[in-house]
Amino acid sequence: MGEGRRRRVVSFLLGITCIFVSVGLSSSQGTNADDVAVMRKLATLLSPPGWSATGDPCNPRWRFVNCEDGRVVAINLASKGLGGSLPNDLNKLTNLRELQLQRNGIKGPLPSLAKLSNLQQLYLDGNHFTSIPPDFFSGLTSLTSLSLDDNELAPWVIPGDLKDSTNLADLSASNASITGSIPEFLGELPNLQSLRLSYNNLTGGIPASFATSNIQSLILNNQISPGKLTGGLDVLSSMTQITQVWLHTNSFTGPIPDLSKCDSLFDLQLRDNALTGVIPSSLFSLGNLKNISLGNNMLQGPLPTLPAGIKVDSDKLGNNKFCNPQPSPCDPRVMILLSVAKGFGYPQRLATAWVGNDPCSGWTFVTCDPKGNIVGLTLVKQNLNGTISPDIANITTLTKLFLNDNNLTGPIPDSLTKLSRLQVLDASNNNLSGKIPAFRKDVILNLSGNPFIGKELPPAGGGGGGSGGSGSSAPNGDTLPDGSGAKTSSFATKWIIMIVIAAVVVVVVVAGLIVRKRRKSKGGHSPLIKQSMGKIEVASSTGNGALISEPTSQGSSGHTDVQVIESGRMLFSIHVLRRVTNDFSEDNVVGRGGFGVVYRGVLQDGTQIAIKRMESSVVSSKGLGEFQAEIAVLTKVRHRHLVSLTGYCAEANERLLVYEYMPQGTLGQHLFEWRELGYEPLTWKQRITIALDVARGVEYLHSLAQTSFIHRDLKPSNILLTDDMRGKVSDFGLVKLAPDGKFSVETRLAGTFGYLAPEYCATGRVTTKADVYSFGVILMELIAGRKVLDESQPDERTHLVTWFRRVMINKDNMVKALDPTLNPDEETFASICKVAELAGHCTARDPFQRPDMGHAVNTLAPLVEQWRPTSPDHEDEETGSSFHMSLSQAVQRWRASEGTSLTSDLLFTQSGNSQTSVEPSAFPHSFASNNAR
């Protein structure tokens, strides 16, 4: 073979060799190194058949694994009988689209899947996973299906990260230890069609956002939390695409909504709740309805006739409150009373009390005459919400209607004026509004304690609608429409009427004397009487001591400066409030909050006021609700440690509250912003004095006021300080009526995170112990001088309550928790430790372990320094008098200090048989004024 030919052969062989080497290298290096490492760990931990702890998952491809371009894109190990656990770096498989591990026996914590932006299908149900990391759902933007059912996870809440999974169509996490409430954002996921969250520890209600969602299958049954899911089902009526609803074995209340627009609904499971009211007639006319269960509720009215083709629960709708055991009409009187209950939202106490088909046979709150006519409804202090139903007018024999001391809103129906036999209507102490219908002259009408009665409020969501005219003044203080001719009187005889008239005369006389005195001393106008357009406007007295104005005279502009006293508070015109704040100048701003801006103003008589002006953006059902609630509460309570409501304004779109002015700002400013604002840090004495003031104010709300309230938003920014650094509780927009006994009341979650009690956050149910928890947090802030949530602190100290309780375990560590500005001596440190112990009890996780506010008052009171004489010899420092002096010597000393003479003194004091004449002015002013009668 020639040399040239030999070289060509060698070159060819070398080329072939290089090709094979290249192919071999390509095969061994083609799979991503991170994918290979993770998959090898997975093979070691799970030992699936055909997997090697040293192999390449893509070359050759392992069973149940799919690869594309050297990346693992799918793992399907469903029902393989696997044990073991998952590697903590599973999220390095960044091209993974499918992960199916369902129905195995895999244990241990779930690893984070954060940033697996390609992951679409994730099935982990039917395993033994023990926990789920906080960032598990972070960045799963392509996720379409998720199943976590039947795992033994530690309690967890659905995180907000899941809202970024906008492609999610199927979310299933039943029996997965989920706690908290169902988040609103789930209803905002545009592609979510199936939601299964049964057998968890969920609380609260169905989110309002579900009304506009695309959810078709809603499975929330059998929650195992103590309170279960609660609230009403109105949201279902708007879910027109819904096909399947499983809500059984929860604590839902109220009526079954009208589902006539839910044409696709075929399966409705509502048994074992606390539903009330009449079953809508349209329910059984749904063309696709095949399965329904309604047993073990408190449903009322007639038992429906069940159409053929619909499968019902085995007890045939049993264990409800139907009027008859068989499908047949109810007594007409029953149906009328149920329509009345509908206005109140079909409350459970009426469902329990109104049972059977004869309302005159033992129905609570109902009075009948011997002929079986309903003559009386007495629904007093039943914590009723909702509105007064116009259907009450259908009880044509009604003579007495008592609805007082509830939470009713809206107007009094005009239809009630048609009740020809009505003698008494008492709807006092509610939150009614709107004009008062023109009742007959002989109807006894009591509407006191309704701050907005006689005023047309704008509808929810804002809008116009003026404050409404006050109309004519009625003898009992109720405002009636001009020209109504209605007459109201007290509940007794002519003697009472005479007393009321006498009281009016006394008020007018006293008002006149006040005017004379003020004009003499200051030359100003009385807030009770003001001259306008040549007329004198006098606030007259009501039968219950409240004051209401006579009609005011207005100029051509339509404005008036008159300050009207109504229900014991002033109704300010917007014109007055603009003037006293220099047209709401920025120079007069003293604070800002979620409600709006607070301004300082000065009235004509020099009184300083604080004016809280609602922002137009929050003039909504929520904002107006808080506005009305604050007025309603502060017209019923008064205490030296609660900020007083001076008045309010409700004109057109303006909503303003007027308070006494607190010159020292808020406790929060003095605790957390004292350096920036140039304040001195609070001393320990000041702190515990303020704490005692707050405790006394809240104790009054809880147990000493005529009606008990829960504040729900105690925090340092809602504690205002007087000139002498005494505390007053403010901001009553979230106040809730406290339930009787130790029962909780369900309400929407409101307040400020960090100060909310754990059970309130978890269940939405609140008792007075929620305020005790908030008070305990404030005590911790007073001790530590830092906010309850402080992101600038290390992670273990971010949440003050958790860290503080940990520090309290060892008293020697208490120094670490103290505000450095306190620098306590031994006596002060002992006081701090006692307050810290109280704070620990107040913030106990179990509400039953927390004390009531009376205990807090009793604990703090001894720590606040009591009064004692400033000088041991008991000598008056101002006058130098002593109890060892004779009376005449004392008089001489006092007269000398007053610079007056003893001549023409005419007050006689007797000692033995002698008499000395002394004028009352010889005594110090306070002594003389109190004793010279």
Side-chain angles (χ1 to χ4, degrees), residues 518 522 524-525 580 600-609 661:
R518 291 195 174 183
K522 296 184 179 180
H525 292 290
V580 300
R600 175 181 173 273
V602 183
L603 298 178
Q604 284 182 333
D605 62 357
T607 302
Q608 295 188 80
I609 55 175
Y661 180 67

Side-chain angles (χ1 to χ4, degrees), residues 491-546:
F491 290 93
T493 61
K494 296 179 180 180
W495 286 105
I496 303 297
I497 298 175
M498 293 175 64
I499 292 172
V500 172
I501 295 172
V504 172
V505 173
V506 170
V507 169
V508 172
V509 172
V510 171
L513 293 173
I514 293 174
V515 170
R516 290 185 60 190
K517 182 176 180 180
R518 291 195 174 183
R519 285 179 176 172
K520 213 171 179 183
S521 60
K522 296 184 179 180
H525 292 290
S526 165
L528 294 180
I529 300 180
K530 181 176 177 67
Q531 191 166 0
S532 174
M533 300 294 293
K535 297 183 180 180
I536 297 294
E537 299 156 322
V538 184
S540 59
S541 175
T542 69
N544 63 359

Side-chain angles (χ1 to χ4, degrees), residues 563-640:
Q563 299 165 0
V564 182
I565 295 188
E566 189 166 300
S567 297
R569 305 292 187 271
M570 283 186 180
L571 176 61
F572 288 86
S573 75
I574 188 64
H575 182 62
V576 168
L577 298 183
R578 286 188 183 280
R579 187 180 66 229
V580 300
T581 60
N582 192 19
D583 199 17
F584 299 110
S585 166
E586 281 291 317
D587 294 337
N588 287 322
V589 173
V590 293
R592 301 178 189 273
F595 184 104
V597 184
V598 182
Y599 299 86
R600 175 181 173 273
V602 183
L603 298 178
Q604 284 182 333
D605 62 357
T607 302
Q608 295 188 80
I609 55 175
I611 303 161
K612 187 159 67 171
R613 185 187 193 192
M614 181 187 290
E615 294 281 5
S616 59
S617 60
V618 296
V619 180
S620 61
S621 57
K622 175 178 179 292
L624 287 176
E626 294 185 11
F627 177 79
Q628 294 184 45
E630 188 139 9
I631 296 174
V633 171
L634 289 177
T635 52
K636 296 176 183 176
V637 300
R638 180 172 289 275
H639 188 273
R640 67 180 181 276

Side-chain angles (χ1 to χ4, degrees), residues 702 709-712 736-747 757 759-760 763-774 846-848 850:
H702 286 183
F709 298 97
I710 307 169
H711 188 279
R712 291 205 297 161
K736 193 79 175 175
L737 273 174
D740 295 335
K742 297 183 178 179
F743 297 103
S744 61
V745 60
E746 181 184 342
T747 180
E759 74 279 1
Y760 184 25
T763 68
R765 302 191 71 86
V766 66
T767 67
T768 54
K769 294 301 180 71
D771 283 347
V772 175
Y773 181 91
S774 304
D846 186 342
F848 297 106
R850 299 175 205 148

Side-chain angles (χ1 to χ4, degrees), residues 398-400 419 421-425 440 442-445:
L398 193 66
T399 62
K400 295 180 181 179
L419 290 169
R421 301 185 186 183
L422 187 65
Q423 300 172 6
V424 178
L425 169 57
R440 300 187 326 274
D442 58 339
V443 174
I444 298 173
L445 190 64

Side-chain angles (χ1 to χ4, degrees), residues 302-304 322-329:
L303 177 66
F322 299 121
C323 63
N324 289 314
Q326 301 297 327
S328 60

Side-chain angles (χ1 to χ4, degrees), residues 47-68:
S47 301
W51 290 25
S52 170
T54 59
D56 185 329
C58 300
N59 291 294
R61 185 175 64 83
W62 292 355
R63 294 178 64 189
F64 320 120
V65 176
N66 287 337
C67 298
E68 291 181 5

